[in-house]
Each structure stands twice: as C-alpha cells, then as structure tokens.
Amino acid sequence: MTFKAEYIWIDGTEPTAKLRSKTKIMAGSPAGVEELPLWGFDGSSTNQAEGHASDRVLKPVFSCQDPIRGGENILVLCEVFDIDGTPHASNTRALLRPVAERFAAQEAIFGIEQEYTFFDGARPLGFPVNGFPAAQGGYYCGVGADEIFGREIVEKHLDHCLAAGLSISGINAEVMPGQWEFQVGPVGPLEVSDQLWIARWLLYRTAEDFDVSATLDPKPVKGDWNGAGAHTNFSTRAMREGDRSWDAIITACEALGEGSKPMDHVKNYGAGIDDRLTGLHETAPWDQYKYGVSDRGASVRIPWQVEVDKKGYIEDRRPNANVDPYVVTRLIVDTCCAGLEKAGQA
Ligand code: ADP
Ligand code: MN
Ligand code: MN
Ligand code: MN
C-alpha cells in the first residue's frame, strides 16, 4: 500500500508569503505527524535561498486527511529550516512557539474570520465584463443568483475543511460580489494558525477545479468597496471565566493601546494595511487606536453580548485578509497576556 502526502509550506515571497506544496508517495499507512519524515526543496525557487546553497528542509508540524484526494492520503503542513537546523527567516511559526508556550497557562484561544475574494481572470467573480455591478449593500449574507457568485465553490471548500477535521465555525457572503468569509476557531494560537493556512490552501485548491482564483488581497477593488480583513477574536481564561472577567477584557483592550503597541501591531498585520484601514468601510484609521462596545469603526470591538455577559472575548478588527496568523496571534498573546500578567489578572 502507498499513500500520497501533500507537503505544504509557506514560502519567502515578499511582502506577502505564498503557499507551496508538492507530493510525496509513501509506503504503508499514514503515521502521526511526529513520525512523518523531513523532506527538502529548492529554496532558490521560493525566495528562501540563493542558488549556490539552495537546499531547505521541510519539517512536518501538522497533518490531516486530504479531502481532495480522499482515501488514506494526507495534507502535511511544514515549517521551513536551514540545513543546519535553524528556522529559516521566513519561518514565523518558530517565533510563535516560545510565546505560546510562555503564556500557555492563560489558555488563549482565537477565532479568525478569513475574508477573501474570488476572481474570474482579472475581474472579481460576479463583476460585469464592462463597468461595475450595483453598489454594495445587498450582497452581504445575500441569496439569489443576482447577488451571490461562487456559492458552489464555497460549499465545496467548507465540506473539504470539515472532512479534514478543521475547526471551521461558519461561512458567509461578504459585502462585495465574489467576496466571502470563513471562520476558524476558537482554538489555541498554533492550532488556529496551522488550520487557517491549511484552510487557505484548500480554498485555492478547491477553486482551481472551478477555474476560479481566490485572493487575500486586502483591497481587491479600489474605491467605494469594502476591503478584505481577517478579524481576530481573542480571549484568555480570565476573560472568559470568573467574576473579574470584565476587568480582564478592559485590561486586554488597554494593553493593545499602550505606547508603541498600536504601531507594532498594525505594521505587522498584513501588507497594504493603510489602504484598507482608512476610517471608512467599517474600519478605524490605521494610525489611530480605539476600542469600544459594538463599534465596527473601532480598532478593537467588544461584542455587545460580551458586554451583557461581562465576559467573553474581544475582536481585533485591524488584521488584513493577507495577515500571517502566526504573526497576529504571537503579537496579541505577547501584548495581552503580558498586560494581564502585569495587572495581576492572568
Ligand atoms: P462577526 O460578527 O464579527 O462577523 P463571526 O461570527 O464571523 O463574527 O466570528 C466570530 C469569531 O469569534 C468566530 O470565529 C468564533 O469562533 C470566535 N469566538 C467565539 N468565542 C470566542 C472566544 N471566547 N475567544 C475567541 N474567539 C471566539
Ligand atoms: Mn464575521
Ligand atoms: Mn466579515
Ligand atoms: Mn468580525
């Protein structure tokens, strides 16, 4: 018996990394991720090496069933290392690992809302060949062939994510034709990030069979159209439970606003963030920080139900659709968990 293992990794493309993958035929039945072998690739073709010393190492860190190929076949997400065993400069997961571990006792969990846009050639799916469709307004969570473009792809992607065992929590149509969202989580920082990268790979791969491309471009159409974000919902155990949860929620919001933190975060929340965080289209301006209850024009929103319950989670609305989840979860854990610790509220 043989099976196919699709080794997936994040490349060195700048300013926004891309996914790459290749197939390894293996004997027997799939083992746990720890037992899967290391593999290599040509880093000079992925902006991860110079041609004269081009070998880079793939180390499996997460695996799941391959819903595209079915059977015993698997998807294998990898970290990239240099041949001497140091994490490659593009390996942002390696930076998250120690931060997640340091604050593990706070039990941080994340739910990430991944917005994206389908393209048919050079046009967003559903845009007429000439000009523009009716202005946005009716498309969000819409129904009907005049408003909805690509639902068959979205449904197939959702089924694939579920078959792979990912913690997908929902999908919805977004404010522009051809624009959609899926949510992953809530699970821990490494889990949500690994699963989001796999879900992105499955999105591109699923759409490929429909001759459609999907993009995480944060502002796929200029002008009066919403951009695409990756709202990042976050909580720790102290924010979810106990009689001082509300204090912990406020402490987390304040920690995100302290000193240089707003800039430290925003500049790592995805290339082109100043084009999307304009202050219009349900965003706060990129160079201002504010938080508020139910405020979709704030940087960080406290959902209304959370204010009612006085416990729950906060939503960082700033990350772009093209954000690296290993980076956004690291920054939020680092800032908020340290803030909670300092306030004696962890
Ligand atoms: P929105 O109203 O902003 O569109 P969504 O329903 O799209 O909200 O997404 C909300 C996200 O919040 C989901 O991914 C969900 O898993 C996540 N979430 C729910 N509870 C928590 C929690 N306690 N901590 C972190 N994330 C959470
Ligand atoms: Mn949402
Ligand atoms: Mn959305
Ligand atoms: Mn949201």
Side-chain angles (χ1 to χ4, degrees):
M1 266 291 289
T2 59
F3 65 95
K4 299 168 194 154
E6 191 71 9
Y7 274 53
I8 299 171
W9 75 97
I10 297 147
D11 78 359
T13 303
E14 288 177 358
T16 302
K18 277 164 28 92
L19 283 163
R20 309 270 180 156
S21 74
K22 58 178 185 164
T23 308
K24 190 176 186 63
I25 306 300
M26 296 178 62
S29 281
V33 74
E34 308 77 26
E35 279 114 76
L36 291 167
L38 302 177
W39 204 13
F41 70 99
D42 169 15
S44 68
S45 301
T46 62
N47 200 30
Q48 285 165 307
E50 304 286 334
H52 60 269
S54 65
D55 283 345
R56 291 292 174 260
V57 177
L58 296 175
K59 179 175 187 257
V61 293
F62 173 80
S63 72
C64 60
Q65 283 185 31
D66 180 347
I68 308 270
R69 287 177 169 143
E72 287 215 299
N73 304 306
I74 56 174
L75 303 177
V76 182
L77 185 68
C78 300
E79 278 189 34
V80 176
F81 287 80
D82 294 340
I83 48 172
D84 67 1
T86 42
H88 186 261
S90 62
N91 181 350
T92 52
R93 191 180 189 277
L95 299 176
L96 171 59
R97 280 189 272 118
V99 175
E101 199 176 325
R102 170 157 174 245
F103 294 107
Q106 292 198 34
E107 294 174 29
I109 56 171
F110 289 87
I112 300 183
E113 304 168 49
Q114 177 69 67
E115 295 180 341
Y116 61 93
T117 313
F118 286 134
F119 269 73
D120 177 9
R123 277 179 294 121
L125 195 66
F127 272 50
V129 177
N130 294 304
F132 287 89
Q136 63 182 31
Y139 306 105
Y140 173 74
C141 297
V143 61
D146 54 338
E147 292 182 343
I148 289 298
F149 306 92
R151 196 188 296 274
E152 66 282 24
I153 313 172
V154 172
E155 290 289 332
K156 181 131 258 179
H157 173 249
L158 175 60
D159 286 341
H160 284 154
C161 288
L162 293 172
L166 306 185
S167 302
I168 294 283
S169 59
I171 55 170
N172 60 269
E174 272 301 333
V175 292
M176 190 180 88
Q179 205 175 49
W180 295 83
E181 169 181 315
F182 64 85
Q183 302 106 29
V184 180
V187 289
L190 282 163
E191 289 81 2
V192 79
S193 305
D194 290 344
Q195 292 191 26
L196 183 59
W197 277 114
I198 292 285
R200 286 172 173 180
W201 188 88
L202 282 170
L203 176 67
Y204 301 131
R205 180 62 191 81
T206 304
E208 186 184 305
D209 287 346
F210 292 82
D211 281 328
V212 165
S213 63
T215 177
L216 307 185
D217 187 329
K219 200 74 186 177
V221 182
K222 308 290 170 233
D224 208 11
W225 298 92
N226 275 35
H231 297 166
T232 301
N233 301 274
F234 163 78
S235 65
T236 65
R237 187 162 38 82
M239 295 161 69
R240 296 187 297 269
E241 296 170 14
D243 45 8
R244 294 191 58 203
S245 303
W246 182 254
D247 294 345
I249 285 168
I250 297 302
T251 299
C253 291
E254 291 283 341
L256 287 166
E258 223 168 77
S260 65
K261 289 295 180 190
M263 278 304 147
D264 297 347
H265 280 245
V266 154
K267 67 173 192 268
N268 290 295
Y269 275 11
I273 198 147
D274 41 340
D275 290 336
R276 176 176 146 266
L277 298 185
T278 55
L280 302 173
H281 306 114
E282 305 176 52
T283 69
W286 66 275
D287 56 352
Q288 289 169 30
Y289 175 82
K290 68 168 176 159
Y291 67 91
V293 175
S294 289
D295 186 354
R296 287 177 192 267
S299 321
V300 172
R301 177 176 69 107
I302 302 173
W304 68 271
Q305 186 69 50
V306 173
E307 193 196 31
V308 172
D309 298 342
K310 298 286 179 240
K311 63 181 179 209
Y313 63 98
I314 59 175
E315 176 192 48
D316 191 338
R317 300 176 57 78
R318 296 169 295 174
N320 267 355
N322 61 356
V323 75
D324 178 347
Y326 297 128
V327 174
V328 67
T329 57
R330 170 170 55 87
L331 291 170
I332 291 177
V333 166
D334 210 16
T335 299
C336 294
C337 293
L340 286 160
E341 207 172 71
K342 202 169 127 208
Q345 294 171 338

